[in-house]
């Protein structure tokens, strides 16, 4: 295993090695942040007595915010001072969780997490942009898999620790979520250490409404001409609808029906739920570089279909 990793690392060029190293650090700190926040819906229900509507709203923030990623990707391609953007996202998007020290109701808790979630979505296109610019296609899958596994490993550890702390005192969620914000900020800091290779592109386009609708027009053009991609998006949309229907019911099921404590929930959502990712993300990254995307996605969706089905038992 170690020998294979060393062989992989040796074939990376200088830029890829630097990118891989900082991404590994960034994803590790991000994993700690996400590991604590994996209990956010449970805290909202169990500690702050949040309503089913509030839990659904919190669950839907990320998917709705993701709709605007196509605009962010276009903005990312134009931004030159990306390090400044990362630091601003770190300050306003991550450190806002420090305000959790003042969250004593479900409304204030929800408001802080909505702002956090919206700003956090902006990081995903930056990560994708770094991978596209700094990493050759042949190495993207495995780098994504390894850094993802590292983040997931730290996420599991953080979620188990958070569950233990919350069982001791439920109001310690304020301290834990503030700490998660600091870890998220450190993630952004290590992003700023990555030198992004710039291509000699200097598009001279007018600003205004035409720039705003350009990503939409490009997306529609791709969907029109690439039938395979259109088919993939249709299937992914159908799967996504089913998955989103299930998500809000999980914390209510854990708290109201099963009456689980935080340690048990963190074990279910953190350890059991994430451990498979640690084992299979590098493998999936390897296969994603070599398999037909449709076949790869079909197999993944087939396995994911067992998740809601097994809830019957």
């Amino acid at each position: 295993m170690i020998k294979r990793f060393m062989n992989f690392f040796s074939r990376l060029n200088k830029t890829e090695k630097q990118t891989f190293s900082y991404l590994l650090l960034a994803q590790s700190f991000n994993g700690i942040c996400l590991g604590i926040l994996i209990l956010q819906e449970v805290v909202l229900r169990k500690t702050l007595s949040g309503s089913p509507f509030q839990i659904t709203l919190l669950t839907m923030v990320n998917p709705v915010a993701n709709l605007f990623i196509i605009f962010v990707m276009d903005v990312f391609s134009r931004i030159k001072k990306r390090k400044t953007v990362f630091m601003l996202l770190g300050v306003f998007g991550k450190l806002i969780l420090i305000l959790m020290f003042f969250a004593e109701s479900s409304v204030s808790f929800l408001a802080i997490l909505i702002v956090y979630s919206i700003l956090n979505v902006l990081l995903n296109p930056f990560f994708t942009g770094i991978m596209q610019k700094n990493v050759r296609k042949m190495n993207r899958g495995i780098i994504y898999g390894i850094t993802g596994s590292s983040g997931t490993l730290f996420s599991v550890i953080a979620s188990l620790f958070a569950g233990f702390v919350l069982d001791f005192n439920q109001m310690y969620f304020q301290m834990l979520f503030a700490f998660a914000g600091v870890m998220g900020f450190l993630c952004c800091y290590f992003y700023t250490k990555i030198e992004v290779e710039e291509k000699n592109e200097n598009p001279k386009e007018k600003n205004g409404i035409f720039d705003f609708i350009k990503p939409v027009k490009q997306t529609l053009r791709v969907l029109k001409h690439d039938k395979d991609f259109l088919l993939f998006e249709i299937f992914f949309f159908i799967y996504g609808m089913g998955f989103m229907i299930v998500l809000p019911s999980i914390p209510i099921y854990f708290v109201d029906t099963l009456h689980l404590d935080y340690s048990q929930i963190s074990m279910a959502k953190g350890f059991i739920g994430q451990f498979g990712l640690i084992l299979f993300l590098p493998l999936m990254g390897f296969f994603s570089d070599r398999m037909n995307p449709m076949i790869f996605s079909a197999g993944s969706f087939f396995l994911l279909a067992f998740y809601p089905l097994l809830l019957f038992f």
Side-chain angles (χ1 to χ4, degrees):
M1 185 71 177
I2 297 178
K3 185 177 180 180
R4 288 184 178 180
F5 174 78
M6 295 305 297
N7 289 336
F8 156 74
F9 193 75
S10 64
R11 75 167 185 255
L12 301 179
N13 60 36
K14 183 179 179 181
T15 299
E16 289 173 331
K17 288 179 179 178
Q18 185 244 26
T19 301
F20 174 67
S21 299
Y22 283 123
L23 281 180
L24 196 62
L25 285 170
Q27 290 297 89
S28 298
F29 282 108
N30 192 50
I32 296 173
C33 176
L34 297 180
I36 296 173
L37 293 180
I38 202 173
L39 296 172
Q40 60 185 12
E41 294 93 352
V42 181
V43 171
L44 180 58
R45 183 65 174 179
K46 191 176 180 68
T47 300
L48 300 174
S49 302
S51 67
F53 173 75
Q54 289 176 322
I55 293 172
T56 303
L57 185 62
L58 182 57
T59 305
M60 292 298 296
V61 171
N62 277 326
V64 172
N66 277 323
L67 293 175
F68 299 94
I69 280 184
I70 57 173
F71 303 108
V72 180
M73 286 296 291
D74 187 61
V75 172
F76 175 81
S77 64
R78 302 164 185 267
I79 292 177
K80 293 182 178 180
K81 297 182 179 180
R82 293 187 178 90
K83 292 184 178 182
T84 302
V85 174
F86 273 124
M87 291 307 295
L88 288 174
L89 287 174
V91 172
F92 294 103
K94 301 293 187 178
L95 292 182
I96 191 174
L97 290 177
I98 292 178
L99 294 178
M100 281 295 178
F101 280 116
F102 306 100
E104 297 182 352
S105 68
S106 60
V107 175
S108 57
F109 179 84
L110 185 61
I112 293 170
L113 283 178
I114 286 176
V115 175
Y116 162 83
S117 298
I118 292 173
L119 294 178
N120 189 61
V121 165
L122 301 179
L123 281 175
N124 296 330
F126 285 99
F127 175 77
T128 304
I130 289 172
M131 292 289 286
Q132 290 177 342
K133 290 177 178 290
N134 282 17
V135 181
R136 291 169 293 175
K137 186 177 180 180
M138 59 180 286
N139 294 324
R140 285 176 194 165
I142 188 66
I143 287 181
Y144 176 82
I146 293 175
T147 55
S149 289
S150 174
T152 305
L153 175 61
F154 280 93
S155 176
V156 169
I157 296 171
S159 65
L160 292 175
F161 175 75
F164 173 79
V165 171
L166 290 172
D167 276 340
F168 181 75
N169 189 325
Q170 293 189 19
M171 291 305 296
Y172 281 176
F173 79 85
Q174 298 170 317
M175 175 184 63
L176 286 171
F177 278 53
F179 177 72
V182 175
M183 294 296 99
F185 174 78
L186 289 175
C187 166
C188 294
Y189 169 76
F190 283 110
Y191 270 133
T192 65
K193 305 295 288 183
I194 301 174
E195 297 294 335
V196 179
E197 288 194 341
E198 301 290 349
K199 297 180 180 179
N200 294 324
E201 298 176 356
N202 189 24
K204 296 181 179 180
E205 300 179 358
K206 295 180 180 181
N207 295 323
I209 186 64
F210 295 103
D211 286 337
F212 181 78
I213 67 173
K214 178 185 174 183
V216 178
K217 293 170 65 177
Q218 289 177 332
T219 302
L220 293 176
R221 190 182 303 117
V222 171
L223 293 174
K224 180 179 179 180
H225 293 94
D226 193 335
K227 301 301 180 184
D228 289 338
F229 183 68
L230 175 61
L231 194 62
F232 169 81
E233 287 297 319
I234 293 173
F235 292 153
F236 188 80
F237 187 78
I238 295 172
Y239 154 76
M241 285 194 298
F243 189 68
M244 291 307 302
I245 291 172
V246 172
L247 281 184
S249 65
I250 298 299
I252 298 174
Y253 180 64
F254 281 159
V255 175
D256 296 9
T257 304
L258 299 181
H259 305 289
L260 301 178
D261 57 32
Y262 277 108
S263 296
Q264 292 171 318
I265 295 173
S266 64
M267 175 66 71
K269 295 191 67 175
F271 181 76
I272 299 175
Q274 302 292 322
F275 192 70
L277 291 177
I278 300 174
L279 296 177
F280 292 109
L281 260 180
L283 185 63
M284 293 300 99
F286 175 83
F287 282 118
S288 68
D289 287 336
R290 293 160 176 80
M291 287 181 63
N292 183 295
M294 294 295 288
I295 297 176
F296 181 82
S297 301
S300 301
F301 293 156
F302 174 77
L303 293 175
L304 287 168
F306 286 96
Y307 172 63
L309 290 175
L310 290 174
L311 291 178
F312 282 110
F313 306 99

